[in-house]
Structures are given as structure tokens and as C-alpha cells.
Amino acid sequence: MSDHARIKGHTVTRTVHIEASRARVWKALTDPEVMVKWFGDGVGFAALEPGATGSIDWDDYGSFPIEITEVVPDGSFGFRWSGIPAEQLDEYSTQVRFTLADAGSGTDVTVIESGFDTLPGGTRYRRERLEQNREGWDVELDELAMLFEGVTE
């Protein structure tokens, strides 16, 4: 595991080290069948390409629409998503970007979520969303790391 996600300005950032190859981590970040093992209870998108849409669903929280914005195999994956359960993306969406980097015998995964500064609702609402998502990335990236614990390549 790593230390916790951090808030700087209107951005949430966290890096975790995973003892697995970039290719295996990439699959965990982009294959809906693997994503549901660490990120959401249901994941689906039309294609793994910029402009494709879909959703990430949590049984206890609802459905969060996404639009893929970046796909660089084994390098980076980005999407815009709704910060609140919704039918479609709207002005409450933020941008998420994962990057992968070789690190010793494994892979460092960094997530950066931005766009909180443009959310409607004022400063208090923006800070609450920042804190909620910071806490969320702590949980979700810990689950990603745990997915690979004890698994050999």
C-alpha cells in the first residue's frame, strides 16, 4: 500500500505501488471484468477508445456515467465521470487520469482527479466533493493493490 490520497488546490492525487507488470495492471484498469474486482460493482463501456461512453455502478451509491478521454496502452487511461449518480454526464463531472510507470519489479499507478474548481455549487460543495473523492481513492486504490497481493505472474 502507499500513503493516502492528497488534495492540492482542486486536484486529488494518489500513487500506489503494485507488484505486477504494467500489462497486468493495465488490464485491471481498463477491462470491465477485472475492474469490478476493485472499482465498482458493475462497469461497462462501449469500447476502449476516446469518446466511448459507459458507467461505473456501485450497489450502495448508484450509477456514475463515464466518457473515456485517453487510452495509451500500458501507459495512461483517462475518463470524465459524473461525481454524483446521474443518467448522463453534466456540469458535475470531473476528469480522472491513471498513469503507469515501471518501478523496480512492479508498477507505480498514479491517479489524478481534477476539475473540482469548475463544479457548480460554490466553495463548500467543491471542498466536500474533493474530500469525498480523496477518501474514495484511498479505498479504491487499496483494493486495486490488494487484488494483486499474493498473485504471481
Side-chain angles (χ1 to χ4, degrees):
M1 304 300 159
S2 74
D3 54 331
H4 300 285
R6 301 188 190 305
I7 294 173
K8 184 174 182 180
H10 289 96
T11 302
V12 176
T13 303
R14 183 167 188 215
T15 299
V16 294
H17 180 76
I18 309 245
E19 279 300 322
S21 67
R22 282 171 81 158
R24 291 189 64 231
V25 175
W26 174 257
K27 183 174 175 121
L29 293 176
T30 61
D31 181 333
E33 290 183 19
V34 182
M35 289 174 77
V36 297
K37 295 178 181 179
W38 71 274
F39 192 48
D41 298 309
V43 177
F45 36 84
L48 185 58
E49 61 188 31
T53 59
S55 68
I56 301 172
D57 308 318
W58 280 268
D59 293 340
D60 294 335
Y61 299 104
S63 183
F64 297 77
I66 67 168
E67 177 184 5
I68 296 174
T69 57
E70 179 180 3
V71 178
V72 177
D74 297 339
S76 57
F77 175 60
F79 57 87
R80 192 168 66 99
W81 73 331
S82 176
I84 55 177
E87 295 292 319
Q88 59 189 2
L89 288 171
D90 57 22
E91 67 271 14
Y92 290 94
S93 65
T94 55
Q95 177 69 36
V96 174
R97 183 173 191 257
F98 294 96
T99 56
L100 305 178
D102 293 329
S105 60
T107 304
D108 280 349
V109 179
T110 299
V111 63
I112 298 172
E113 185 171 4
S114 60
F116 295 94
D117 55 329
T118 62
L119 296 176
T123 302
R124 175 175 284 191
Y125 175 76
R126 292 173 186 149
R127 295 309 290 179
E128 287 172 359
R129 282 278 306 280
L130 271 163
E131 184 57 31
Q132 289 168 354
N133 288 35
R134 185 203 62 74
E135 290 174 4
W137 288 120
D138 281 346
V139 171
E140 302 302 343
L141 289 183
D142 281 355
E143 289 182 8
L144 175 64
M146 286 186 281
L147 179 66
F148 288 98
E149 282 183 2
V151 177
T152 57
E153 307 238 10

